[in-house]
Amino acid sequence: AVLNSLNHDMTLTEFKFIWYMEYSHRMWGRIVGLAYVLPAAYFWQKGWFSRPMKGYVLALCGLVCFQGLLGWYMVKSGLEEKPDSYDIPRVSQYRLAAHLGSALVLYSASLWMGLSLLLPRHKLPETHQLLRLRQYAHGTTALIFFTALSGAFVAGLDAGLVYNSFPKMGERWIPDDLLAFSPVLRNIFENPTTVQFDHRILGIASVTAVTALYLFSQKIPLPRRTRMAVTSLLVMAYMQ
């Protein structure tokens, strides 16, 4: 009904494209869930998990189910008809950010656990420089995570359509309507201009942090695998 009221000229082919995109995403999500739960149940029954491993597996399987629930909750927000609104229907930017954030946590945790099982941990001397590098890497990870979350707010509000110039936003470095909403805190999450501005700043900060991490890592003797990871991170940051 929402599509029909706002997209009178949509053809059946165009509607099918949207429908199959959504359907494929749902089916792929369910396949991912089965790929977690079924092998986990089999390995558990065989007794191949240690006690700590059982906790990790339960947490990952729970996160997979939670991710699916969040996806349903997010899509639901875009299908609710608002009789008093003629705006383009879109999902809640808060739920979109939660869905994306949960997916990133799930992916990162899965990769971390998989690599921990497949690759032996390097026995490196805990020097002051190595500890600083590790702390800086964790800080950079958090910064990249928040940059990605801010991207969900950009997508949810269609904030990418507000300004199309870079590095300035229009003719200004700081746009006039940056704090147009009241109270001020609301601008960070609901003002498309502020959301795009924050995403730009966070993106630039992430690239800068990754570059600094790479340069700092060059001063420390590191294993080949670690050096390859840092270099790959730098390449991906600049590609992004």
Side-chain angles (χ1 to χ4, degrees):
V2 174
L3 278 170
N4 185 48
S5 63
L6 289 164
N7 297 279
H8 302 289
D9 58 343
M10 178 179 282
T11 65
L12 182 60
T13 303
E14 289 171 334
F15 175 77
K16 283 183 175 180
F17 176 76
I18 292 175
W19 191 89
Y20 279 116
M21 285 285 286
E22 174 64 20
Y23 181 76
S24 300
H25 182 69
R26 290 182 182 212
M27 290 303 106
W28 187 253
R30 288 166 185 170
I31 290 169
V32 169
L34 291 174
Y36 267 85
V37 174
L38 294 181
Y42 176 75
F43 296 148
W44 192 299
Q45 191 270 331
K46 286 286 186 180
W48 293 350
F49 289 144
S50 63
R51 189 177 178 84
M53 194 69 180
K54 286 181 178 179
Y56 294 138
V57 168
L58 280 177
L60 284 175
C61 287
L63 193 54
V64 168
C65 297
F66 178 68
Q67 173 68 5
L69 185 64
L70 264 181
W72 165 81
Y73 187 58
M74 179 193 74
V75 171
K76 184 175 179 290
S77 69
L79 296 176
E80 293 168 351
E81 292 194 50
K82 304 173 181 68
D84 300 328
S85 175
Y86 297 96
D87 192 16
I88 296 170
R90 59 168 63 94
V91 298
S92 162
Q93 67 271 28
Y94 297 101
R95 299 184 194 184
L96 178 59
H99 189 51
L100 176 64
S102 176
L104 289 172
V105 170
L106 174 61
Y107 178 79
S108 301
S110 302
L111 185 64
W112 184 276
M113 193 170 81
L115 291 177
S116 299
L117 292 170
L118 292 170
L119 302 173
R121 190 184 180 97
H122 286 300
K123 302 293 183 182
L124 299 175
E126 294 289 329
T127 62
H128 177 66
Q129 278 189 316
L130 186 64
L131 288 172
R132 278 185 61 199
L133 179 69
R134 188 177 292 137
Q135 289 170 352
Y136 196 79
H138 289 159
T140 304
T141 302
L143 185 58
I144 293 169
F145 179 75
F146 283 116
T147 303
L149 281 192
S150 74
F153 281 91
V154 172
L157 290 169
D158 282 340
L161 304 176
V162 181
Y163 290 98
N164 300 122
S165 55
F166 186 85
K168 289 185 177 181
M169 297 178 75
E171 298 299 319
R172 302 176 66 88
W173 289 101
I174 300 176
D176 292 331
D177 54 340
L178 192 67
L179 300 175
F181 290 16
S182 182
V184 175
L185 190 62
R186 190 174 151 222
N187 288 278
I188 298 173
F189 305 106
E190 297 181 15
N191 184 339
T193 297
T194 313
V195 165
Q196 191 193 126
F197 181 80
D198 291 344
H199 188 58
R200 289 176 179 224
I201 298 300
L202 284 167
I204 294 166
S206 291
V207 173
T208 305
V210 169
T211 305
L213 179 68
Y214 173 80
L215 294 174
F216 183 48
S217 72
Q218 298 303 297
K219 301 176 181 179
I220 306 173
L222 294 170
R224 180 175 173 272
R225 198 170 76 208
T226 309
R227 201 163 292 286
M228 188 187 303
V230 176
T231 305
S232 300
L233 179 64
L234 182 75
V235 171
M236 290 308 298
Y238 277 90
M239 281 178 64
Q240 176 71 359

